[in-house]
Amino acid sequence: HPPAGAAGSEFVFYIVDRTARFAELGRRVHAFLEKGLGRNFFESGQLAKDAVIGDALRVKLEGELLAEREVGPTMAKMFLVSTHLAFPQAHLLDASCAVGDGAEQAFDYLYPHVQARARSAHRAVLLDALTAQLDEEALDRLEPRLRPMLRFVGGAARARFGLCVEQVSDSVTPFDLQVHLCEWRKFRTRVDRMRLCRRGSVLDRTRALRAVEAARRTRKSPSGR
């Protein structure tokens, strides 16, 4: 975040400096991937015979990112997800994904029996456990409308942006799930302020719209702050 009280040229300098440092980090990530996937991968899209892919590559790249100054779990996740979407041949996040700080509240809610320190330290383990539980049968039991909606949204995204099935799946993937866990916090604080959605409930559209309207009425406009 910008330094407290930063304004004018000081704020602009902070943004430019941070952008430049992350551009350099992107160059180092590129070199790391080129070493693991093959020198000609970025030109030809062909993996080297001895390429390191999948979870083995994810673990190594995540470690490299977290060793960088000012890179935490959320920023590491950003690099991992964007790399996974850009280069699906590497299967970077097929099995697991880094979990940002924003998922903390969701894990508090889902795993209250796990000690808080353990939840924070082992978010990736909890994500893997949750992913394993959400097979097709479990998803249909929890919310029968979810998988048809995933297929619809996935097809629309591929048609609109020219993406392939490897990039936008029709099922719940680990990196999709960690994003949902992070966004759930915003849903709770900005939409479902009245806590209409309880554990295991199916969100009713009418109640949801009522909650959104209530949140809109109570939200202060920028001019009133």
Side-chain angles (χ1 to χ4, degrees), residues 37-223:
L37 301 175
R39 185 165 297 278
N40 298 319
F41 172 75
F42 292 106
E43 288 73 27
S44 66
Q46 298 296 316
L47 294 165
K49 291 182 178 179
D50 58 347
V52 179
I53 63 173
D55 212 43
L57 179 63
R58 177 194 65 82
V59 170
K60 289 184 177 181
L61 179 55
E62 186 176 342
E64 291 286 325
L65 289 167
L66 292 175
E68 293 280 344
R69 179 172 170 265
E70 294 187 350
V71 175
T74 299
M75 190 59 66
K77 178 192 69 176
M78 184 201 76
F79 273 96
L80 290 168
V81 170
S82 57
T83 302
H84 178 76
L85 292 173
F87 308 108
Q89 308 97 309
H91 302 285
L92 189 63
L93 302 181
D94 284 5
S96 188
C97 183
V99 185
D101 298 331
E104 195 88 7
Q105 290 185 21
F107 283 138
D108 291 348
Y109 184 78
L110 291 169
Y111 298 103
H113 57 283
V114 178
Q115 290 185 351
R117 182 174 295 181
R119 286 198 303 265
S120 181
H122 301 292
R123 287 194 293 257
V125 175
L126 293 176
L127 177 69
D128 292 345
L130 185 60
T131 303
Q133 293 174 10
L134 294 180
D135 56 21
E136 294 182 357
E137 183 178 342
L139 285 174
D140 290 342
R141 186 169 59 251
L142 288 169
E143 173 50 89
R145 297 169 294 184
L146 180 59
R147 288 204 302 130
M149 180 57 71
L150 287 172
R151 289 193 293 270
F152 170 79
V153 173
R158 289 190 291 271
R160 173 67 176 82
F161 300 107
L163 302 171
C164 63
V165 177
E166 289 181 299
Q167 291 166 303
V168 178
S169 175
D170 288 339
S171 60
V172 177
T173 65
F175 78 91
D176 285 328
L177 183 57
Q178 63 81 25
V179 171
H180 301 329
L181 293 170
C182 292
E183 293 302 319
W184 178 82
R185 175 187 57 173
K186 294 181 181 179
F187 174 81
R188 295 278 281 180
T189 57
R190 299 185 183 182
V191 178
D192 190 28
R193 294 181 178 180
M194 299 169 64
R195 298 295 184 264
L196 297 176
C197 294
R198 302 299 179 187
R199 188 189 300 270
S201 67
V202 175
L203 179 62
D204 178 82
R205 179 176 174 79
T206 303
R207 297 171 72 196
L209 291 175
R210 242 188 349 253
V212 171
E213 182 57 33
R216 186 180 292 115
R217 286 197 302 268
T218 58
R219 188 179 302 135
K220 294 181 179 180
S221 66
S223 60

